[in-house]
Amino acid sequence: MEEESRAFYAVKVPLDPSPSQEIQFKSHAGGSRFAYNAALAHIKAQLDERKKQQEAGVDKKDLIRIDNNMISLGRWWRDNRDEIAPWHAENYSHMYNCAFQNLANASKNFLQSLTGKRKGERVAFPRFKKRSSTKTFAFPDSVRVADDHGIRLPKIGRVHTLRNVRKLVGDRKIKTTTVKFEGGRWYASLLCETIVTTQEKKRHQKTVGVDLGIKELATLSDGVVFHNPAPLREAKRRLAHAQRALARKEKGSNHYFEQQQKVNRIYARVRFLRNNTIHQLTAYLTDHYTDIYIEDLNVKGMLKNHGIAGALSDAALAEIRRQLEYKANKKGVRIHVIDRFYPSTKTCSGCGSVKDQMSLSERTYLCDRCGLEIDRDLNAAINIERKGLEELGQNSNQVD
């Protein structure tokens, strides 16, 4: 049975701009930041004026309306840009709308968080972007794939890409393109819209339980193990050395900027290594199994344990689940989530007895009842799969 759905996928490609194009990139990034800050200052001024009107007893229907959406902010920008930004025509005009849309989204998130309509932690009021903040700007749906290794950006022209962008994008429609300077290199993130046809896999059912952790990133119930490269832990010495050197530089100087780029490159390498490992893990799972059983981990609660908070953040367990879910949806794989209170680690996969306590330092599960000796994570993965199959009323050797 086939099902069609509309989905969005981001394709990230490294860019290789010419020196003149890089100047244009910086101009667009600076213009986007300026427009964002100018619009935010305009909103704050309106809020101050509205507060004065309320204190003066002005009727509610006569209060000043706040320009907190892209359309009204764009209208304000067109009326004032020649005065506050006479250089605005040097950059692509629609690029400014993307900055206003980002500000409108930030304002909306703040208001919804304030009224309780938005779940999660409280979102702060939008802040001004510093000159030292990440250089980034975005285009609406006006970017095209020029050739296998090139994209055509408005006002800038064809920019060479270091990956085959035509192969990555395919026949998908590009909705928005975000250009960002990250780790010493420019990247383009292409948000593509596509119609996804999901169909059940016709091969034999193959189930697996997955135990996510810190020492081993993922242990599967069939014995496959994905090691945790812990990229941040491995980079700590180089990072500390680079940050000490940065602290000795005069803030705002060229030497400070150069050293800051070195620090950023270390962080970028950590991020790329982590993402690569997670992509390999989630791709393997969705390519080899039809049903995947995972635990509903309370990552937020686990981060309160300061002894393991750093290692947990480095492992990015929440990102693993996010990638696993969208890839499973794309490939027709079923994800089953086991209740977080199920004692998968303390339960013996041989006889089913449950231990009262088991410390994190115990890496081998030794059952006091049946004498089973097995790796701690493998034991948990087997229990996760078995629990999931029990909940579905199946047994582990059932096939389609």
Side-chain angles (χ1 to χ4, degrees):
M1 182 178 179
E2 295 187 356
E3 295 182 2
E4 286 190 353
S5 61
R6 194 179 303 274
F8 294 91
Y9 296 101
V11 175
K12 188 175 182 179
V13 292
L15 303 177
D16 184 24
S18 65
S20 61
Q21 287 176 334
E22 188 163 10
I23 292 174
Q24 290 179 293
F25 280 4
K26 292 178 180 179
S27 174
H28 277 75
S32 176
R33 181 183 62 85
F34 179 89
Y36 182 97
N37 288 342
L40 179 55
H42 169 64
I43 291 177
K44 284 194 168 187
Q46 286 186 318
L47 289 172
D48 292 339
E49 178 64 25
R50 186 183 178 92
K51 185 177 180 180
K52 291 179 181 178
Q53 290 178 340
Q54 289 174 331
E55 292 174 350
V58 177
D59 193 80
K60 187 175 181 179
K61 64 179 179 8
D62 296 325
L63 292 174
I64 185 174
R65 294 179 63 86
I66 307 299
D67 296 331
N68 58 356
N69 59 74
M70 187 192 72
I71 295 177
S72 59
L73 288 173
R75 189 183 301 116
W76 166 83
W77 173 257
R78 287 189 294 273
D79 293 339
N80 297 275
R81 61 188 179 185
D82 291 333
E83 179 182 349
I84 63 176
W87 40 261
H88 68 86
E90 297 177 6
N91 303 320
Y92 183 55
S93 59
H94 290 182
M95 177 270 298
Y96 300 109
N97 288 336
C98 291
F100 300 143
Q101 184 62 62
N102 291 339
L103 178 56
N105 291 339
S107 177
K108 180 181 177 181
N109 291 338
F110 166 72
L111 291 174
Q112 289 185 343
S113 176
L114 195 64
T115 57
K117 294 180 180 179
R118 178 186 172 91
K119 296 180 180 180
E121 295 183 1
R122 181 67 61 87
V123 177
F125 187 80
R127 300 176 183 176
F128 291 106
K129 293 186 177 181
K130 298 180 180 179
R131 183 170 294 181
S132 59
S133 61
T134 303
K135 296 180 178 65
T136 180
F137 59 95
F139 293 121
D141 54 353
S142 52
V143 175
R144 299 290 179 266
V145 176
D147 49 64
D148 289 351
H149 288 273
I151 56 175
R152 193 166 300 280
L153 303 179
K155 202 83 175 184
I156 297 175
R158 181 194 177 278
V159 180
H160 187 72
T161 63
L162 298 179
R163 297 183 66 187
N164 190 329
V165 65
R166 189 187 295 279
K167 180 179 179 181
L168 293 172
V169 173
D171 59 353
R172 303 186 184 106
K173 181 181 179 182
I174 300 176
K175 299 296 290 182
T176 60
T177 300
T178 302
V179 180
K180 186 177 182 181
F181 187 73
E182 185 179 8
R185 184 179 293 281
W186 290 94
Y187 291 87
S189 181
L190 313 172
L191 183 64
C192 304
E193 181 184 20
T194 185
I195 302 297
V196 179
T197 301
T198 303
Q199 58 182 1
E200 296 292 330
K201 294 194 173 183
K202 296 182 179 179
R203 55 185 168 86
H204 285 89
Q205 181 182 6
K206 191 174 182 183
T207 66
V208 68
V210 183
D211 178 66
L212 301 176
I214 297 175
K215 185 176 184 297
E216 304 296 351
L217 188 61
T219 303
L220 312 189
S221 55
D222 56 7
V224 177
V225 176
F226 284 83
H227 299 289
N228 182 9
L232 182 59
R233 183 186 65 195
E234 295 298 322
K236 270 190 174 180
R237 177 175 292 184
R238 289 184 292 114
L239 188 59
H241 182 270
Q243 288 176 327
R244 283 196 297 268
L246 179 65
R248 291 192 291 266
K249 302 290 188 292
E250 182 180 352
K251 198 168 185 179
S253 65
N254 289 335
H255 289 300
Y256 183 91
F257 175 76
E258 292 173 1
Q259 187 62 33
Q260 191 177 47
Q261 293 305 308
K262 291 181 181 179
V263 173
N264 291 341
R265 281 195 289 271
I266 296 174
Y267 274 120
R269 176 174 169 77
V270 168
R271 190 161 52 251
F272 295 151
L273 287 174
R274 181 186 296 128
N275 287 340
N276 182 62
T277 302
I278 294 175
H279 276 297
Q280 288 180 346
L281 165 62
T282 53
Y284 178 88
L285 289 171
T286 52
D287 286 341
H288 289 79
Y289 305 97
T290 57
D291 292 85
I292 302 171
Y293 299 90
I294 59 174
E295 282 184 297
D296 182 22
L297 296 175
N298 181 18
V299 178
K300 185 177 179 180
M302 294 164 68
L303 288 173
K304 293 180 181 179
N305 182 346
H306 300 296
I308 61 172
L312 274 173
S313 299
D314 200 12
L317 302 185
E319 175 64 12
I320 294 175
R321 178 166 174 178
R322 186 194 71 83
Q323 289 193 21
L324 194 60
E325 287 177 344
Y326 91 75
K327 289 180 181 179
N329 180 61
K330 181 181 178 182
K331 298 177 182 178
V333 175
R334 294 179 292 268
I335 302 293
H336 308 275
V337 182
I338 307 303
D339 185 78
R340 66 179 57 172
F341 297 109
Y342 173 66
S344 59
T345 302
K346 300 177 183 177
T347 303
C348 175
S349 59
C351 65
S353 63
V354 182
K355 284 190 173 186
D356 293 331
Q357 295 292 333
M358 189 170 182
S359 65
L360 289 173
S361 60
E362 295 182 61
R363 303 311 308 169
T364 301
Y365 185 95
L366 180 59
C367 182
D368 301 327
R369 186 177 182 183
C370 67
L372 176 68
E373 186 173 352
I374 187 174
D375 177 77
R376 170 199 184 104
D377 297 332
L378 177 58
N379 178 70
I382 294 172
N383 287 329
I384 290 170
E385 180 185 17
R386 186 171 295 163
K387 178 65 174 177
L389 290 170
E390 287 176 0
E391 290 181 352
L392 292 177
Q394 300 174 336
N395 54 65
S396 58
N397 58 5
Q398 180 181 353
V399 295
D400 287 341

